[in-house]
Amino acid sequence: MKPAIVLYKTLPADLRQKLDEHFSVTAFDELSHQTFPAFLQALKNAEGLIGSGGRIDADLLAQAPKLRAASTISVGYDNFDVDEMTRRNVLLMHTPTVLTETVADTLMGLMLATARRIPELDAWIRDGHWNDSLGADHYGTDVHHKTVGILGMGRIGMALAQRAHFGFGMKVLYNTRTPNPEANQKYQAQHCDLDTLLAQSDFVCITLPLTSQTHHMIGRAQLDKMKKSAILINAGRGPVIDEDALIEALKDGTILAAGLDVFEREPLPHDSDLMKLKNVVLAPHIGSATHETRYGMAECAVDNLIAALNGTVKENCVNPQIAVKN
Ligand SMILES: NC(=O)C1=CN([C@@H]2O[C@H](COP(=O)(O)OP(=O)(O)OC[C@H]3O[C@@H](n4cnc5c(N)ncnc54)[C@H](OP(=O)(O)O)[C@@H]3O)[C@@H](O)[C@H]2O)C=CC1
Ligand SMILES: O=CC(=O)O
């Protein structure tokens, strides 16, 4: 008999077929209030779980006594209780690498769009204001040859450093708990403490995972340490920034502007003050959202689940100590 799994995301037809060849699949388009009771019911027999989003916490895991592996269609896994999964011998698989270059493109895009005010001026044209030549009120700020401070110098941070260094001639500073010698060797990137990075960077770019250590790593005190001309970019996770403090800093001119792909609450509430600020560029968590990369992530997640349930895991496992035990 094929192992039972629960799928909670719509997959491309060929990948869905691949799952059906290996498993008995109970499928939901997404997790929602409507689908949740049936999802819980299906979890009771499930050995595998695949999808993205949702909170997979201890209470939910307790309702999935047969679960052996979960495969998230994302690299970030802050929505999973990894300790509890490990305690229960449940493998957690994720999709690093396949999305790295695309997310770095998004970060570079946000830097350019924010510095050069592209969405704001697009709206200005559409509103019928382009009747004369532009004045200084509408000028932006240069990106090339400035200093970028990257928080997190893992896969995505490195891909951003490559673009910044070779493409834009930028000086690269970065902050991590452990220095990354490759970043220095390839991109002349300098490891520094957070305060130095904040004080010296023209662009502060967040590529950090969300953990108890990175939660609200950027709050009022850190924003106060940035240059008044600085631009803050976040494509890591929303709660790395204290969003109320950021809104205040954008309103009172503590920093110049922000480009945000991730938020403390997603979807961003319609009454968020961020929507009212011209010096913010907003993106709806599109870091990896290209046709090619979303397909690659889904394919990687499907292969990850097959490997996890077949006992052939070689990569992409968050808690590999279990794979060894199994
Ligand atoms: N916007 C979007 O659509 C997307 C967002 N993401 C986000 O990007 C994150 C990073 O992905 P990726 O680059 O692949 O991950 P990596 O694990 O390769 O890199 C994470 C980096 O963060 C650093 N880091 C972790 N904790 C701290 C800390 N407390 N202080 C300073 N540095 C820290 C790590 O260095 P060290 O351990 O030495 O401190 C490492 O350099 C994901 O976890 C996800 O949240 C990813 C994909 C798409
Ligand atoms: O936010 C996206 C991810 O892959 O993590």
Side-chain angles (χ1 to χ4, degrees), residues 116-289:
R116 301 300 304 274
R117 302 168 58 180
I118 293 170
E120 180 193 343
L121 295 175
D122 173 288
W124 181 80
I125 296 178
R126 290 171 199 272
D127 289 346
H129 296 299
W130 194 16
N131 302 313
D132 221 328
S133 57
L134 277 189
D137 280 359
H138 296 105
Y139 294 168
T141 184
D142 278 337
V143 176
H144 65 86
H145 297 98
K146 294 281 183 73
T147 297
V148 60
I150 304 179
L151 298 186
M153 188 54 88
R155 291 169 290 254
I156 296 169
M158 286 287 280
L160 176 62
Q162 181 196 37
R163 285 156 176 73
H165 175 68
F166 290 117
F168 290 82
M170 298 178 87
K171 176 175 172 180
V172 180
L173 306 177
Y174 73 98
N175 175 259
T176 49
R177 291 165 300 181
T178 316
N180 179 338
E182 203 185 335
N184 179 275
Q185 187 204 325
K186 287 187 166 167
Y187 314 126
Q188 291 164 36
Q190 296 168 23
H191 186 255
C192 57
D193 62 46
L194 182 59
D195 284 358
T196 305
L197 182 148
L198 294 171
Q200 295 187 6
S201 298
D202 300 302
F203 294 85
V204 173
C205 293
I206 298 175
T207 70
L208 290 166
L210 176 61
T211 64
S212 53
Q213 283 181 5
T214 62
H215 182 264
H216 283 194
M217 199 174 195
I218 302 297
R220 184 72 220 188
Q222 289 70 35
L223 291 159
D224 281 339
K225 289 175 180 152
M226 290 172 66
K227 296 181 183 182
K228 271 177 106 64
S229 57
I231 292 177
L232 179 62
I233 304 291
N234 189 8
R237 283 289 183 266
V240 173
I241 298 178
D242 175 345
E243 210 163 271
D244 288 340
L246 174 62
I247 290 168
E248 204 179 284
L250 288 165
K251 281 183 180 167
D252 68 18
T254 301
I255 64 170
L256 183 68
L260 306 172
D261 185 46
V262 288
F263 303 89
E264 289 215 69
R265 271 183 61 201
E266 295 180 10
L268 184 64
H270 293 184
D271 61 355
S272 166
D273 269 6
L274 286 171
M275 305 242 195
K276 299 178 192 133
L277 296 173
K278 280 192 173 173
N279 53 345
V280 184
V281 173
L282 303 170
H285 203 142
I286 54 162
S288 62

